[in-house]
Amino acid sequence: MKLTALTLAGVFVAGAALANGVAPDEVTYGEYGAVEASLSGAEGNADKGREIFSTKSMGNCVSCHAVSALPDVPFQGEVGPMLDGVGGYRSAEELRGIVANAKMTFEGTVMPAFYKTSGFIRPGNGYTGKAAEGPIDPILSAQDVEDVVAFLMTLQD
Amino acid sequence: MMTAAAAMLALTAPMLAAGGADDDTLIINEDLEITTKAAAAPHLDGHLDEVISGWHFRDDDTQAMEMDDFDNPGMIFVDQGIDQWNAVEGSEEKSCASCHGDPEEMAGVKAVYPKWNEEAGEVRTLQMQMNDCRENRMGAEPWKYDAGAAINMEALLASVSRGMPVNVAIDGPAAEAWEMGKEMYYTRYGLLELSCASCHEQNYGNYIRADHLSQGQINGFPTYRLKNAKLNGAHGRFKGCIRDTRAETFSPGSPEFVALELYVASRGNGLDVEGPSVRN
């Protein structure tokens, strides 16, 4: 429910910009998994990205990654690498590709694909345990991904 | 906004990381030593070297609760199981005790389940076997899978097998179900595309948010969880773990979960039965 509301809000705010956006199935990944242009056609908002990164019902990236720049977020996970400084050693294009579908950069990685809507095994309806109904929404909207990328770019050593 | 305590928490979280499985020893009632680490069975070659009980991944307070039957809330349900064991029910006017004697006569049974049943031509979990006795030998209603009475009885049968090594058979006629369970274990379900192995084989010892990932062993089932303050069955746990990958999950008692239980149980061959265990 929350996610839908968030996605709609994103569409509303992005407005005309979304006309330049790319649907999940149409994203073009480079040889090493990078994605060149903004998925929504608009710029990302780092503050929103920070919230998406830290909030369980959104990206929940902190369940697997620790970031020192988020000292108020308890229980940061360690399934993925610590992301301090990642905005320094990765480009925005690489980060966009990793957040949209990390499997294009790291083959077989346990990191979920956040901008993907097909090819799932037994997709569910949120965390209800029931089957998904109708077309599947990506976990994050195009604008959410851009916001997260903008936040990651702020992580400089 | 940020409190000093929260900051401390965040700073110390990565240090807890150093952990993994601890080196404590599980002795129940100062008497019964439980094997909680063992060399992995040959069928786990290339996957795991050592198998480790989920007990090693819990904090000291939770661990302590399992070390004394008076502190283990799961034992309350074992007592209820004993009442059920002796209760006459059904058209044949029999109790479990009428045919099986004392619950202690069942020592060792839990350790080899799920198990192939030749007459029925199927792999049976302990709960399926109990219900077979209820329906076909007692003329009583079957118990609901993984709920109240069934879990109490499973806890009783586990408790009399504590300290005996899990040793489920995976070959012969059980092989087909075992292969199916194995395939499920490595299937990346749901929108998060995570398999059991993603969390419990590749990442045990790591924190995923506040949870310290274990190997997802079931030698300790049924499990009393502090989180929901009741006994939980293995199928209930499987159901929750698959649901958490944002997937359409399976139902307790389904053929899929029977197969998965056989496979997961076999990953714990060599660990001792320790149910009813205590987890958070």
Side-chain angles (χ1 to χ4, degrees):
Chain A
M1 251 1 256
K2 260 215 181 97
L3 192 67
T4 322
L6 196 88
T7 312
L8 288 178
V11 170
F12 186 72
V13 173
L18 204 86
N20 305 321
V22 192
D25 281 341
E26 259 117 60
V27 179
T28 312
Y29 291 88
E31 194 184 342
Y32 301 106
V35 174
E36 289 305 318
S38 164
L39 295 174
S40 66
E43 300 234 318
N45 175 326
D47 286 334
K48 276 199 196 141
R50 168 193 296 259
E51 195 192 339
I52 295 165
F53 190 93
S54 318
T55 309
K56 190 161 184 198
S57 56
M58 299 192 220
N60 199 19
C61 315
V62 282
S63 67
C64 292
H65 294 284
V67 168
S68 309
L70 299 171
D72 51 334
V73 180
F75 302 120
Q76 304 186 5
E78 47 183 22
V79 167
M82 199 208 214
L83 295 180
D84 285 5
V86 76
Y89 63 87
R90 292 255 178 215
S91 68
E93 290 75 20
E94 288 173 332
L95 292 172
R96 181 179 294 118
I98 291 170
V99 179
N101 186 349
K103 279 139 187 112
M104 300 300 201
T105 303
F106 309 106
E107 203 191 329
T109 184
V110 303
M111 177 163 158
F114 289 89
Y115 197 61
K116 178 179 159 177
T117 49
S118 59
F120 299 116
I121 300 170
R122 293 177 75 89
N125 182 359
Y127 289 106
T128 62
K130 302 211 167 65
E133 285 166 34
I136 293 167
D137 288 327
I139 299 172
L140 296 180
S141 71
Q143 189 56 43
D144 291 341
V145 174
E146 295 306 323
D147 293 346
V148 169
V149 170
F151 167 65
L152 294 174
M153 289 304 289
T154 67
L155 303 177
Q156 305 276 345
D157 276 335
Chain B
M1 283 307 279
M2 184 184 100
T3 63
M8 281 298 294
L9 217 55
L11 287 175
T12 51
M15 273 153 56
L16 290 171
D22 69 16
D23 294 325
D24 297 346
T25 304
L26 174 54
I27 300 173
I28 296 177
N29 300 332
E30 291 180 1
D31 174 42
L32 182 63
E33 181 160 346
I34 304 286
T35 300
T36 50
K37 291 183 183 174
H43 67 79
L44 288 172
D45 267 1
H47 294 280
L48 291 177
D49 296 330
E50 189 182 36
V51 290
I52 308 168
S53 160
W55 184 80
H56 283 289
F57 299 85
R58 308 286 46 103
D59 63 33
D60 288 348
D61 293 344
T62 310
Q63 286 185 332
M65 292 176 81
E66 198 180 310
M67 300 179 79
D68 187 321
D69 283 354
F70 286 107
D71 297 330
N72 181 342
M75 293 309 286
I76 296 164
F77 301 94
V78 168
D79 284 342
Q80 292 176 15
I82 294 174
D83 293 341
Q84 290 166 222
W85 182 263
N86 293 314
V88 173
E89 272 192 82
S91 57
E92 303 305 306
E93 300 190 11
K94 284 190 161 56
S95 69
C96 315
S98 319
C99 298
H100 293 292
D102 287 340
E104 286 73 20
E105 301 284 323
M106 297 297 234
V109 173
K110 167 77 180 166
V112 297
Y113 270 76
K115 185 171 114 180
W116 176 257
N117 183 294
E118 193 57 50
E119 268 164 65
E122 64 183 8
V123 168
R124 279 191 178 161
T125 63
L126 209 50
Q127 292 189 38
M128 289 163 77
Q129 177 58 49
M130 295 172 197
N131 273 340
D132 182 68
C133 285
R134 287 182 62 80
E135 287 189 87
N136 300 318
R137 299 201 167 99
M138 297 169 71
E141 290 288 308
W143 284 323
K144 184 169 183 278
Y145 208 93
D146 248 12
I151 286 286
N152 293 345
M153 186 57 73
E154 189 172 342
L156 170 61
L157 298 183
S159 72
V160 298
S161 288
R162 285 186 294 182
M164 303 173 85
V166 175
N167 184 20
V168 298
I170 63 171
D171 51 0
E176 198 183 326
W178 185 80
E179 287 291 349
M180 175 179 167
K182 180 175 180 184
E183 171 147 356
M184 288 180 72
Y185 196 87
Y186 290 99
T187 297
R188 301 186 62 163
Y189 291 112
L191 263 57
L192 299 183
E193 297 177 289
L194 295 170
S195 69
C196 314
S198 308
C199 289
H200 296 297
E201 182 173 297
Q202 285 178 256
N203 279 296
Y204 70 87
N206 285 331
Y207 276 86
I208 186 162
R209 209 79 211 236
D211 268 317
H212 196 195
L213 282 167
S214 71
Q215 290 184 345
Q217 296 287 358
I218 55 173
N219 62 306
F221 275 78
T223 284
Y224 182 88
R225 290 188 68 189
L226 303 172
K227 187 178 165 184
N228 58 15
K230 66 176 179 93
L231 270 187
N232 296 263
H235 292 197
R237 189 45 125 148
F238 298 164
K239 183 180 171 185
C241 280
I242 295 186
R243 181 198 59 217
D244 288 349
T245 68
R246 298 202 187 196
E248 177 188 6
T249 191
F250 300 91
S251 302
S254 62
E256 288 88 356
F257 275 171
V258 172
L260 186 60
E261 181 179 339
L262 174 62
Y263 178 69
V264 177
S266 79
R267 292 175 69 97
N269 275 354
L271 294 174
D272 281 352
V273 174
E274 69 174 69
S277 62
V278 184
R279 304 284 188 261
N280 52 322

